[in-house]
Amino acid sequence: MWKTFCLSLLVAGLFSCQEGKRYQSFKPGEIWLDNAEVHINAHGGGILYDGGRYYWFGEHKTEGEAGNRANVGVHCYSSDDLYNWIDEGIALSVEPEGSGSPIEKGCILERPKVIHNAKTGKYVMWFHLEPKGMGYRGAQSGVAVSDQVTGPYQFLHAGRINAGKWAANASEELKNAPVPALEDAYSGGELPGHPDSLNIHKRDLEGGQMARDMNLFVDDDGKAYHIYASEENSTLQIAQLTDDYTDHNGVYIRCFAGRFMEAPAMFKHNGKYYLMMSGCTGWASNAARSAVADSVLGEWKELGNPCVDADSATTYHSQSTYILPMPGHPDKFIYMGDRWTPENAIDGRYIWLPLEFDGDRFVIHWQDEWKM
Ligand code: DGJ
């Protein structure tokens, strides 16, 4: 009797274990089901490794073109092997329509990232926010916090960045140059000249710097950084966060001025800092860029396209969203990218590929299927 009971427990255990382990490999670009057999809905996402588990946060998209707007919020999944993901629900919910909240349903809320603050014990989420009805003109950043990794996250504030503060590497020339008069000033679309000739950095000094595509990076000393496409997307900026990670502390740099980079993702390897970015072509994929520096706050040196196989000119039909360091494996990283489907946002696919080092640069090869 006791033997039969133990055996049935063992069989049930084995079954449930296999049930939770549908995948044993990555298949970039294919439908990727969660534990409820639903395609994972966490676009423009990033991963936090916390308490021995991986937490994947990303944009919850809905059907059709309108699904690119934030109709639900930020979705969270968890995993212990990176192949199989459990739906942990909506970590940050949008506020009801008509509430007037900056994160009201129908706003644009993109590229959410979560980091943990060891001092306060809080989980801190940052995201690119375009309040409803502003198109992409808002160029704001939003912050939300939670005591639990999976949420619910409470929205704190949103806005432009470091109002009244010059970038640490802003040249005296730029500081003293005039901002073009209104009739010559930039009013959307392609920039008529180099961004420095338009002095967008100075234009936005008082109201704060723009921030669209973004990421976060926490260094070994606990300092956290916000990396974002600024100055009408023409120039990347890297800004230090306050000790509690919920604001900026006024220290920041401009880099790659006039290079129009989006989708930044930062990581550290052998004491050097690396960045991967895309060009700036809306939802359409383009050739990735990479760069290296001895310190987060620069000088940054471009290294070129890290993708080396066929379709490298489109980053294998994807755009970077995060580079995941493998805990316990200092030389192993995973490139995480989005293959956007803007006409039916919810169908977007995930391109995860191993990232390798080739001398001083990193490279990403295409693989139809791979294992860690
Ligand atoms: C490219 C960005 O990387 C995406 O996050 C999104 O903002 C699209 N542009 C919108 O066109």
Side-chain angles (χ1 to χ4, degrees):
M1 171 75 175
W2 178 241
K3 250 191 196 166
T4 322
F5 177 61
C6 287
L7 199 66
S8 60
L9 268 187
L10 187 71
V11 171
L14 273 178
F15 246 87
S16 63
C17 177
Q18 276 171 355
E19 246 173 49
K21 300 286 176 195
R22 169 192 295 274
Y23 298 112
Q24 274 93 45
S25 64
F26 296 109
K27 291 185 180 170
E30 294 204 358
I31 287 282
W32 195 348
L33 301 177
D34 66 11
N35 61 313
E37 314 220 335
V38 176
H39 181 47
I40 293 172
N41 200 338
H43 310 266
I47 287 186
L48 176 69
Y49 183 66
D50 187 70
R53 278 190 86 71
Y54 300 93
Y55 294 88
W56 178 357
F57 298 86
E59 303 159 32
H60 180 106
K61 304 258 192 193
T62 53
E63 278 177 15
E65 210 178 321
N68 291 301
R69 294 187 176 277
N71 297 310
V72 177
V74 176
H75 210 133
C76 175
Y77 296 83
S78 80
S79 171
D80 60 6
D81 64 3
L82 293 170
Y83 301 126
N84 298 283
W85 292 90
I86 294 171
D87 184 357
E88 300 283 358
I90 301 301
L92 173 71
S93 299
V94 293
E95 297 292 338
E97 237 166 342
S99 63
S101 161
I103 59 164
E104 172 174 347
K105 183 177 176 190
C107 67
I108 294 171
L109 194 164
E110 292 180 341
R111 299 185 176 271
K113 303 289 178 299
V114 174
I115 51 180
H116 181 245
N117 189 294
K119 284 187 194 151
T120 63
K122 302 264 185 207
Y123 296 89
V124 186
M125 179 189 290
W126 281 79
F127 47 89
H128 165 203
L129 178 72
E130 299 291 345
K132 199 173 172 183
M134 292 191 74
Y136 276 90
R137 292 190 310 281
Q140 297 186 6
S141 305
V143 194
V145 292
S146 172
D147 291 326
Q148 286 88 37
V149 60
T150 53
Y153 284 75
Q154 303 299 324
F155 173 70
L156 287 186
H157 56 85
R160 292 277 179 100
I161 293 177
N162 281 326
K165 303 266 185 348
W166 289 105
N169 60 351
S171 65
E172 287 308 308
E173 203 185 332
L174 206 63
K175 287 183 186 173
N176 295 321
V179 175
L182 255 189
E183 60 269 26
D184 309 322
Y186 174 75
S187 58
E190 217 165 280
L191 288 188
H194 191 276
D196 284 2
S197 72
L198 296 166
N199 216 341
I200 299 167
H201 182 42
K202 188 170 178 179
R203 181 198 75 183
D204 290 343
L205 188 69
E206 212 178 299
Q209 301 294 309
M210 302 174 99
R212 293 197 182 110
D213 275 16
M214 58 143 279
N215 222 312
L216 300 176
F217 174 77
V218 182
D219 207 349
D220 302 330
D221 60 5
K223 283 209 166 60
Y225 298 84
H226 184 199
I227 308 129
Y228 50 93
S230 192
E231 302 179 32
E232 304 289 356
N233 281 354
S234 68
T235 301
L236 211 71
Q237 294 188 355
I238 304 176
Q240 227 170 47
L241 297 181
T242 49
D243 283 352
D244 68 359
Y245 299 169
T246 65
D247 219 328
H248 298 90
N249 69 2
V251 177
Y252 72 108
I253 59 158
R254 314 171 63 225
C255 36
F256 317 118
R259 291 282 291 135
F260 286 87
M261 301 206 192
E262 288 192 313
M266 188 183 285
F267 63 101
K268 188 176 185 178
H269 178 249
N270 278 350
K272 287 198 184 293
Y273 299 84
Y274 293 87
L275 268 171
M276 180 162 172
M277 291 104 2
S278 72
C280 199
T281 52
W283 296 114
S285 49
N286 53 53
R289 325 261 178 96
S290 64
V292 64
D294 290 328
S295 123
V296 179
L297 295 177
E299 291 267 314
W300 284 92
K301 185 180 131 215
E302 276 197 62
L303 295 173
N305 185 352
C307 298
V308 286
D309 293 334
D311 286 330
S312 63
T314 61
T315 316
Y316 312 124
H317 303 282
S318 73
Q319 187 183 29
S320 43
T321 185
Y322 200 73
I323 308 283
L324 175 67
M326 299 302 302
H329 299 274
D331 291 323
K332 294 207 187 312
F333 297 83
I334 296 179
Y335 160 75
M336 291 169 53
D338 291 286
R339 185 172 285 173
W340 305 112
T341 52
E343 63 293 342
N344 186 22
I346 197 172
D347 194 32
R349 306 297 171 88
Y350 308 102
I351 306 299
W352 289 24
L353 292 166
L355 183 151
E356 295 157 28
F357 278 85
D358 177 12
D360 274 352
R361 68 191 280 253
F362 65 91
V363 293
I364 300 169
H365 289 278
W366 174 258
Q367 312 228 26
D368 290 331
E369 180 176 4
W370 64 283
K371 289 173 188 246
M372 280 178 289

